[in-house]
Amino acid sequence: MASSVPSSFQFSPLLFYFSNLKSGFFGERNKLRVSSVPAPRVGFTRKVTECKESRIGKQPVVVPSNVTINLEGQDIKVKGPLGELGLTYPREVLVERAEDGILRVRKAVETRRANQMHGLFRTLTDNLVVGVSKGFDKKLQLVGVGYRAMVEGKELVLNLGFSHPVKMAIPEGLSVKVEENTRITVSGSDKSEIGQFAASIRRWRPPEPYKGKGIKYADEIVRRKEGKAGKKK
């Protein structure tokens, strides 16, 4: 009887050994037992990040003699020649007043959020003191043929090339001054309100990069682009 096994096939003991194992698993088959070794456990270590002291937050806030400070828990009210402003602190930070009148903002807990709030609310506290004593201002400039601005009562009127003039109500507590019909100055005691209103003015006609036309901040640098080159002859 002819064998069905090809003549080139050679018997391998290793092949016979693996054929008697359960496929994919260790176990017992044909009275052959294979012992399994448990895998070792892998341990992980967690690195603890220390919160460093904020370089801005640890700076003191100097209070002028013409500014009055009123502290009530997490609330502060600052009153000066230019008005009165207030601020509420989160629970992560505390504000203290020294005997010499200097304000200090410190962290109440040692967390990452407290480290973030420390420097932020120190800056906001300083803005309150400077705002009611000296004030802030933001300057804008109109660039473009026919672009002009004027103040009519409690409204700022802008001519920006639209079919109609743009009228913007001036928020309470802010003052707007226009010079030479193209230079706008927004001033007041609240720095955030000044920045928000100035951004609202600029949003009507942001400066375009080819000719620079539009409304830009006085200290803004507009990156110019080169226009399309004409067809070569």
Side-chain angles (χ1 to χ4, degrees):
M1 181 177 177
S3 175
S4 59
V5 181
S7 59
S8 60
F9 177 80
Q10 296 180 358
F11 177 77
S12 174
L14 185 63
L15 180 62
F16 175 77
Y17 171 77
F18 280 106
S19 66
N20 286 280
L21 298 181
K22 291 183 179 179
S23 59
F25 299 93
F26 291 110
E28 182 181 357
R29 185 175 182 180
N30 296 333
K31 298 182 180 181
L32 180 63
R33 183 181 297 275
V34 179
S35 62
S36 59
V37 179
R41 295 184 178 180
V42 180
F44 296 93
T45 58
R46 184 177 180 181
K47 185 178 180 181
V48 180
T49 303
E50 297 181 359
C51 296
K52 298 181 180 180
E53 190 78 12
S54 173
R55 291 179 292 179
I56 298 177
K58 64 184 180 182
Q59 295 179 3
V61 179
V62 181
V63 182
S65 58
N66 58 349
V67 176
T68 304
I69 304 294
N70 184 18
L71 287 173
E72 294 182 359
Q74 294 294 97
D75 298 331
I76 184 174
K77 291 184 179 180
V78 183
K79 188 176 182 180
L82 300 181
E84 182 178 355
L85 297 174
L87 181 66
T88 300
Y89 294 88
R91 61 184 180 181
E92 288 86 1
V93 296
L94 298 173
V95 59
E96 298 175 347
R97 186 173 184 180
E99 297 180 356
D100 53 357
I102 294 178
L103 292 176
R104 294 185 181 275
V105 180
R106 64 179 182 86
K107 295 182 290 184
V109 292
E110 290 293 335
T111 60
R112 178 171 295 182
R113 176 175 170 80
N115 193 47
Q116 297 169 350
M117 297 294 103
H118 188 201
L120 170 64
F121 277 86
R122 186 270 167 196
T123 302
L124 294 178
T125 305
D126 185 67
N127 290 343
L128 297 180
V129 176
V130 176
V132 298
S133 59
K134 299 179 181 179
F136 296 98
D137 60 7
K138 194 73 174 178
K139 297 182 179 181
L140 302 99
Q141 185 175 359
L142 278 64
V143 180
V145 178
Y147 289 7
R148 62 182 185 274
M150 65 184 69
V151 177
E152 294 182 356
K154 296 184 178 181
E155 289 184 338
L156 175 65
V157 182
L158 303 172
N159 292 295
L160 303 173
F162 299 120
S163 60
H164 60 282
V166 177
K167 296 183 179 181
M168 301 181 64
I170 301 175
E172 186 177 357
L174 301 183
S175 61
V176 179
K177 183 180 179 181
V178 178
E179 298 177 356
E180 299 179 359
N181 295 330
T182 57
R183 290 185 294 176
I184 305 173
T185 303
V186 183
S187 58
S189 59
D190 194 338
K191 188 175 183 179
S192 61
E193 289 287 337
I194 295 172
Q196 181 63 40
F197 186 64
S200 300
I201 297 173
R202 183 184 180 275
R203 193 178 298 120
W204 281 105
R205 185 72 80 175
E208 50 92 15
Y210 294 100
K211 295 184 179 180
K213 295 174 58 176
I215 305 175
K216 70 181 189 70
Y217 299 117
D219 55 351
E220 181 180 2
I221 298 176
V222 180
R223 297 187 63 180
R224 305 290 289 273
K225 291 183 180 180
E226 184 179 358
K228 294 183 179 180
K231 185 177 180 182
K232 296 182 179 181
K233 295 182 180 181

